[in-house]
Amino acid sequence: MDGFDFDYWKNLAERDPAAYFRARDDVLRECIAEHPGYVAGLAELQGHIDSTRVLAGSPLQASRALFGLMEDQLHRLGATLAELQRETEGLRAILAPKGK
């Protein structure tokens, strides 16, 4: 997605919404294909994003719903990081030389 041209995409969406969505889908497919080890997960995530947008009813509601999903994911990642830090400290304590 080098050189993203906001004005191009904005104008395309305003001028020809069907062409915008076709081009958007093409770019998303290309982006997903560039990450072969993650194709299934990225495709699933994009499907979830698209479904959320369709069901939301308005762009504002879609944005709120998607930000909520991102917030939930960040909380999960934070909890996982905290658990990894606890485990790392536990391993350090086990592996530390005795008497120090």
Side-chain angles (χ1 to χ4, degrees):
M1 200 125 159
D2 293 339
F4 179 79
D5 184 346
F6 178 83
D7 290 329
Y8 165 78
W9 288 97
K10 176 186 169 288
N11 291 332
L12 182 59
E14 290 172 348
R15 188 178 67 254
D16 188 349
Y20 165 81
F21 282 105
R22 283 192 305 272
R24 175 188 168 273
D25 289 344
D26 289 344
V27 169
L28 288 169
R29 274 195 298 278
E30 289 172 15
C31 181
I32 289 170
E34 289 174 3
H35 300 87
Y38 302 96
V39 169
L42 290 172
E44 181 180 340
L45 174 61
Q46 187 59 50
H48 188 69
I49 290 168
D50 291 341
S51 297
T52 300
R53 289 178 60 237
V54 167
L55 296 172
S58 75
L60 179 59
Q61 289 172 319
S63 295
R64 287 180 177 157
L66 292 170
F67 282 125
L69 292 172
M70 290 188 324
E71 183 180 24
D72 292 345
Q73 187 63 30
L74 286 172
H75 285 295
R76 281 189 221 111
L77 287 171
T80 300
L81 177 59
E83 180 63 26
L84 286 171
Q85 289 171 330
R86 285 190 294 276
E87 292 294 327
T88 300
E89 291 302 317
L91 287 172
R92 281 194 184 123
I94 292 169
L95 297 174
K98 301 296 181 202
K100 284 193 173 184

